[in-house]
Every structure is written in C-alpha cells, then in structure tokens.
Amino acid sequence: MSQVAQGKGRIGFIAGFLVLPLALYLTFVIWPYIQTFGYSFTNWSGQSPTFDFVGLDNYAALMKDEVFRGALWHNLLLLVFVPTVTILLALFFAFMVNAGGRSGAGGVRGVWGSSVYKIVYFFPQVLSLAILAVLFGAVYRSDEGGLLNGFLTKLGLVDPVHPVEWLNQPDLALWCLLLVVVWHGVGFYLVLFSAAMQSVPKDIYEAALLDGAGRAQTFLKVTLPLLWDSVQTSAVYLGIAAMDMFVLVSTMTSGQFGGGPDHHSEVMATVLMRNFLYFGKSGYACAMGVVMLVLTMILSIVTLRATRRERIEF
Amino acid sequence: MTTESTVIKAPGEASAERSGGSGRAKDGAKPASDGTVLNVFSHGFLAVWAMLIVLPLIWLALGSFKTDSQIGGSALSWPSNWHFDAFSRAWDKGIGDYFAHTLIVMVFSVPLTMLLGSMAAYVLARYPFPGNRLFYYFFVSGAMFPVFLALVPLFFMVKRLDMLNTYQGLILVYVAYSMPFTVFFMHSFFRTLPTAVHEAAVIDGASDTRIFFQVMLPMAKPGLISVGIFNVLGQWNQYILPSVLMQPQTGSDPERYMLTQGLIQLQYQMGYETDLPVLFAGVTIAMIPMLVVYLSFQRQIQAGLTSATLK
C-alpha cells in the first residue's frame, strides 16, 4: 500500500470521500437488511404504523404454509437442474469452440467460426429478463401461434386441435422456465469457461496430444481439472439465480405475481412479493426474506465445500 | 492478481491468433481423420444452438409486421404486409416514455455510481487507516445478500423519504445497490496503479482530492469502463427494484415506469386489447439498442463481465 498516502491530516480527506457512499449504502442497503430481521418477528401489515412482536410465529406459520413449502421445493429443484444443465452445455460448447478443432500441425485450436459463436451465444445475456419474459411468453403460447407449438405442428408432432399448453400445464410450467434460464445463461458461461481455457498454456494441450490423448480424454483429464475454479464459481452464481427466478415466474405464469397454474411454478420470491404487496403481510414477507438469505448462504458454503479440490497451479 | 488491461486484451489476442492460423493443415496426423467426423458433429451442435438463439429473436421481430390474427393463427406464417405502424403504435402506447424514464434515471445513476464507488474504493485501497479493512468488507458484503432480504423495509424507507415513484428515489437506490460490486472491482484496480505517479504529484504539491480527480481517476479509465458497462447493463435491465418503488402512489401521480416494467405492462395491456404486433414491436424497439451496444462493445462486454465474475 502506498507509503506516500500515510500520515496525519488526511482524516478529513478520507472521511470526505467515504461519507456520501457510506451514507447511501447504509440507508438503502444495510439498514433495510437489518430491519428485515426485526420485522420478521412482528405481525406488521405495512399499512398501520402499529404492530406487535409475535416472536417466531411467522416462522412457524411458514413451516405450515403449503404454498411456501411448494415454492421452496421448486427452488431446490431449480437449484439442482439450472447449474447442472447450464454448466454441462457451456463446458461442452466452450471445449468445442476452443479446442474442438484440431489438426496435426496446428495442435489444438477452436473450430472454425468460434469467434462468431461466442458473439451470438452471449447475446441473450445483454437482454433484460423482461424481454425474455415477453419473448418466451410468445414462444410458449398455448395455441398454434406459439413458436414451439407452430413448429411442432408443422413437424406433425403436435395435434393442431390440441396444442401443448406449455405454461398452463401444471407439470410442465416449471421446466419451461428452466429452459429459458438455460437459454439465457449458456452463452455467458461459455465465454467465462473460454477465458479460463485460454489462460491454460498451450503446451499442456500439446503434451496431452503427443501422449496420444483423444478429445474426451483431453477434456476430462486436462481441461476440466484446470477449469475447476471457474466451474465452482459458476455453480454458486447459477445457484443464486435459481434461488431468485422472480422476474420470469411472476411475468410468464398465471396468478397474482405468477406461480400458476395452481402454484405449480411458485418460487419463494413470488410468494414473498404476493404476501408483501397483495396480502399486505409485511412481517410474514420479511420472514421469507430471512429464509431466502439463510438458504442462499448455506447453498454458497455447501457448493464451495462440496466441490473443493486441490488447486492446480500453472 | 491480473491487472485489468491484460484481462481485456486476452480475448482479442486469442482470436487474432486463431484467425491468423486459420488455414487448417491437412497433413493428416493421426487424430485428424477421426477429427473430421467429430468436427462435423461439433459444428452441428454449435450451429443448432446458434439457431436456437437467433431464430426466436428474428421470429419476434417479424411478428411486429404481422396482423394480430396472423400471429394467433400460425406461428410460421410470413408477414403479409410490411407496414411499420405497429412500431409507431408501440411508441405511442408508452415505449417512448419508458425509454425516456429509463434514460433519465441512468444519466444520473451511472455516473453517480462510478463517482461515489471510485471515491470509496480509492480511499480504501490506498489510504491505510484504522478500520480500513472493516469498511472494505462492509461495502463488499452487500453483494452476498439477495435483494429480497431488503425489499420490504426498503420500500418503507423510500416511502418515509417521500421518494416513491420519483426519479431521485430510484437513482439513489440504484447507486446504493451498485456500490458493493463497484467498490470491489475498483478497489482491486486502484491497488495496481503505480505509487510513483502519486509521489510525483505529491511533490508537485497537488492535494489528495486533486490527485484523485486529475491523476488517479484518468489512470483508472480501463477499470472504469469495465465497471461502467456492468452497471449500465445491470441498471438498464433491473426489474425488481422499479416494480416495487416506481408505482403511481395516488390517482394523480404520473406513472414513471422503467422500460422493463413498461414492457411487462404492455404485455398485460396487449393481452386484453389483443394487439400482439404492438407488443412484439415494443420488444423489438427495446431490443435494438442493446443489440447495437453489444455488437459495438462485445469484446469489452465479454471481457468485463467475465473478469468481474472470476475475481
């Protein structure tokens, strides 16, 4: 750290630079975070200025709340499938793009056109989730006007008189949303893994090639272990995204703040918002926020621990 | 720790290297023969996924030129007329306003985020004082918590300040929620800047404030650009915060929806009015600036977001 910067008489400068950022951050981030814990022990409606301390009643009620328990289960399902599917696809594509094409003289390199693929795949990442919601709302339309139904009808796989009710089908809705998340995420993680792959020295690949390693072997024995840090980070990020899901569920599925049909696509965030803005149960909603925090923390720690391996330096 | 400049350069170098050696050698070493078959496969998968990305977007844009009954009737029909009136109707239905609202907020929130975030990061990175680490972790820890944890009290905090459904309210909230990441990123950036420049400036008699604004901040430009892009994308695409904070509070309160909120609003509205071409045109209008920005800065965006996540 800079030695020049040391010395007295700079307290004013330091304080002056910190006061505004700190004030904003305390007011709008930290203080609300802390308040949530307090409110979660009250029966506050949000409307009236008065409320009672009810201890752990909200948490006890949460345990019995069928809708919330269903939502929790859906979040856990997404938590397993969103990272797994996205990471596997992204790894596969990243490997193809970076090391898929190979030839005797050039060693290992990406397939032809790989930079174009990287540009195209990444594009969903810059679109807002609201745009995705409208787009896939149209793709999943339950009549022949939906892209998916229209396409499947053309192929003769779907009866035009009874098209698939993608988002209205209780056992399909959640998986339809999962596909949107994967569609959105693969490109980003492809680029992320590509950056990690490119930082691996070429001679490691060349050595593997000389030893007669095939593509699968190169991937499993060389690429994957060297990428493990990135895979781990991605799992945590995707896990956090799977815990949220608010925008897609609330805008694409039926019901107040989404979650339909009949709570089959409900996630914790939509239940929270409904209780807060629609039922006016602010204290109860705060308890859900706390549960979401605890689960997110557990998720991050478990992912990082479970996937811990010896770090490979190169 | 890698410095930002090398991170940004890396993809460019790599692609240049690749295109430089694009002529595939055909001197048939052992793996090349089975490689050909696999290449066809891998190209197939890659091309299919590229189609899955591009086709829905083109299909949506084409929908803006169709009639409503055409959209409902068959997904694969070609637009029968090429009029642009759905676009102008979408603009009148509020897309123009939503755009303007979002721009007003971002014109203030992004520079303010960068300024305040850099100031805090700079002091924490280069001025040792008691509690320095504590402040740093305090700032950065905010990135770990889900926004839903804060949502209920945040709403009432903004309400108490009488800033619900105001631009200044949303601006301040955006700045506050962008702080953890901005401080985190700029902190590591300021640490890598050389001390010698700072010393020279001190000898020339520049004050701390002046050194920051005239020496350090210009030197941190690559870092500022990366964080800037990240903040622009993040705040432009934000949906949860505006949908809680930007709702008309009384009958006479004008609506100041952000673009994301407005699109969802349009979706509900057009569902009732059965004018889907307007909805598709609205989404297309919202998509085009992002497409243009992305294609112009795709290298920086990819490098910025990647290095941001990996750090």
Side-chain angles (χ1 to χ4, degrees):
Chain A
M1 199 164 288
S2 162
Q3 290 306 303
V4 187
Q6 255 174 339
K8 293 196 169 70
R10 296 179 191 276
I11 301 299
F13 167 73
I14 293 170
F17 262 39
L18 279 179
V19 65
L20 264 181
L22 204 56
L24 270 180
Y25 183 61
L26 276 173
T27 313
F28 293 112
V29 184
I30 297 298
W31 183 231
Y33 277 152
I34 295 170
Q35 277 182 305
T36 299
F37 291 96
Y39 287 143
S40 75
F41 299 114
T42 69
N43 63 359
W44 190 33
S45 69
Q47 306 299 319
S48 65
T50 57
F51 49 81
D52 302 317
F53 181 80
V54 295
L56 292 172
D57 282 9
N58 283 331
Y59 293 94
L62 266 186
M63 296 297 154
K64 293 197 206 90
D65 187 332
E66 289 287 334
V67 174
F68 187 76
R69 271 165 43 190
L72 179 61
W73 170 242
H74 294 150
N75 273 120
L76 292 177
L77 275 181
L78 292 167
L79 191 58
V80 172
F81 285 100
V82 169
T84 316
V85 178
T86 313
I87 289 176
L88 285 181
L89 272 175
L91 271 177
F92 173 70
F93 288 136
F95 186 66
M96 286 304 170
V97 160
N98 287 288
R102 52 159 51 173
S103 58
V108 180
R109 73 160 74 90
V111 295
W112 181 84
S114 57
S115 52
V116 176
Y117 285 127
K118 270 196 226 170
I119 293 176
V120 172
Y121 285 19
F122 195 84
F123 182 55
Q125 201 63 38
V126 299
L127 296 178
S128 65
L129 287 173
I131 290 182
L132 293 197
V134 177
L135 169 64
F136 279 92
V139 168
Y140 286 134
R141 269 176 69 114
S142 52
D143 55 25
E144 241 189 290
L147 184 59
L148 211 46
N149 271 327
F151 190 66
L152 293 175
T153 313
K154 205 81 170 177
L155 291 178
L157 293 172
V158 164
D159 176 9
V161 190
H162 305 285
V164 186
E165 302 261 340
W166 300 104
L167 291 168
N168 298 324
Q169 196 103 340
D171 44 353
L172 268 184
L174 197 65
W175 304 107
C176 290
L177 297 173
L178 175 96
L179 288 184
V180 180
V181 180
V182 172
W183 185 87
H184 177 240
V186 164
F188 176 74
Y189 292 96
L190 157 84
V191 171
L192 191 80
F193 295 146
S194 293
M197 280 179 191
Q198 274 165 10
S199 68
V200 176
K202 284 249 184 278
D203 35 333
I204 294 185
Y205 281 117
E206 271 150 26
L209 197 63
L210 280 178
D211 290 344
R215 231 181 280 232
Q217 266 184 314
T218 313
F219 178 75
L220 289 175
K221 299 270 169 62
V222 181
T223 312
L224 194 56
L226 290 174
L227 286 189
W228 200 249
D229 271 2
S230 313
V231 173
Q232 206 182 27
T233 316
S234 310
V236 173
Y237 275 93
L238 284 161
I240 290 172
M243 283 302 227
D244 179 334
M245 292 292 291
F246 174 75
V247 181
L248 291 181
V249 177
S250 71
T251 54
M252 289 178 67
T253 59
S254 56
Q256 195 70 32
F257 293 99
D262 195 24
H263 302 302
H264 276 84
S265 65
E266 205 80 72
V267 289
M268 288 186 286
T270 54
V271 184
L272 187 158
M273 286 289 243
R274 191 179 311 123
N275 277 283
F276 167 39
L277 291 175
Y278 194 64
F279 298 147
K281 290 159 95 175
S282 296
Y284 193 45
C286 282
M288 293 183 198
V290 173
V291 171
M292 283 180 78
L293 168 77
V294 171
L295 289 174
T296 310
M297 297 307 242
I298 294 176
L299 148 82
S300 306
I301 294 166
V302 167
T303 312
L304 291 176
R305 295 222 123 197
T307 57
R308 192 161 60 185
R309 287 189 176 188
E310 213 168 311
R311 207 192 150 103
I312 301 161
E313 304 280 348
F314 55 84
Chain B
M1 190 175 289
T2 30
T3 61
E4 180 49 26
S5 52
T6 59
V7 174
I8 280 191
K9 244 186 284 160
E13 282 170 355
S15 64
E17 192 183 303
R18 257 200 318 275
S19 55
S22 62
R24 262 218 218 93
K26 292 231 163 114
D27 49 11
K30 195 196 67 176
S33 50
D34 76 312
T36 325
V37 181
L38 269 169
N39 264 346
V40 173
F41 266 107
S42 62
H43 264 300
F45 284 123
L46 286 169
V48 165
W49 191 265
M51 293 296 225
L52 286 178
I53 300 286
V54 174
L55 284 183
L57 298 172
I58 295 176
W59 173 74
L60 187 86
L62 279 178
S64 331
F65 300 101
K66 295 179 187 171
T67 61
D68 193 70
S69 59
Q70 221 184 342
I71 288 179
S74 166
L76 304 181
S77 62
W78 199 250
S80 56
N81 63 330
W82 286 93
H83 296 307
F84 284 85
D85 54 311
F87 287 92
S88 61
R89 266 181 291 150
W91 193 261
D92 293 339
K93 284 279 176 199
I95 290 294
D97 294 336
Y98 305 145
F99 240 111
H101 301 158
T102 311
L103 279 179
I104 292 170
V105 169
M106 304 261 302
V107 161
F108 293 98
S109 64
V110 172
L112 204 58
T113 302
M114 308 298 288
L115 178 69
L116 294 183
S118 304
M119 278 163 62
Y122 176 67
V123 166
L124 294 174
R126 297 188 78 99
Y127 290 80
F129 59 90
N132 180 308
R133 294 309 282 169
L134 198 73
F135 273 111
Y136 173 70
Y137 285 121
F138 183 62
F139 265 116
V140 171
S141 62
M144 291 158 56
F145 305 124
V147 66
F148 292 95
L149 183 67
L151 224 44
V152 179
L154 176 69
F155 174 83
F156 291 106
M157 171 66 78
V158 178
K159 189 176 181 180
R160 223 170 299 143
L161 294 169
D162 214 13
M163 288 206 258
L164 281 178
N165 202 31
T166 62
Y167 295 126
Q168 61 271 31
L170 195 63
I171 291 167
L172 293 179
V173 169
Y174 275 3
V175 174
Y177 279 86
S178 311
M179 209 49 79
F181 177 72
T182 311
V183 169
F184 174 63
F185 197 100
M186 290 312 293
H187 183 268
S188 61
F189 200 88
F190 280 125
R191 294 203 81 148
T192 62
L193 293 184
T195 326
V197 184
H198 193 151
E199 281 163 2
V202 171
I203 290 163
D204 287 346
S207 69
D208 289 298
T209 317
R210 202 169 149 171
I211 294 174
F212 173 71
F213 282 106
Q214 295 195 335
V215 180
M216 292 315 216
L217 214 48
M219 276 170 73
K221 212 170 141 196
L224 286 174
I225 291 174
S226 292
V227 189
I229 290 170
F230 192 91
N231 281 325
V232 166
L233 285 176
Q235 296 182 7
W236 182 270
N237 292 338
Q238 181 57 248
Y239 174 77
I240 295 163
L241 290 173
S243 66
V244 171
L245 300 176
M246 300 298 273
Q247 300 283 348
Q249 296 304 302
T250 60
S252 57
D253 202 7
E255 52 96 335
R256 301 191 177 92
Y257 289 147
M258 296 297 109
L259 190 56
T260 46
Q261 239 180 320
L263 285 176
I264 300 301
Q265 180 68 22
L266 196 68
Q267 187 180 32
Y268 287 129
Q269 209 182 332
M270 291 306 108
Y272 287 120
E273 295 179 22
T274 58
D275 193 355
L276 282 172
V278 164
L279 177 64
F280 286 12
V283 174
T284 309
I285 297 175
M287 217 159 57
I288 286 171
M290 295 322 280
L291 184 63
V292 172
V293 168
Y294 172 59
L295 289 178
S296 335
F297 296 102
Q298 54 91 8
R299 194 165 288 169
Q300 289 92 324
I301 289 177
Q302 290 192 356
L305 288 186
T306 315
S307 64
T309 317
L310 282 178
K311 266 186 186 166

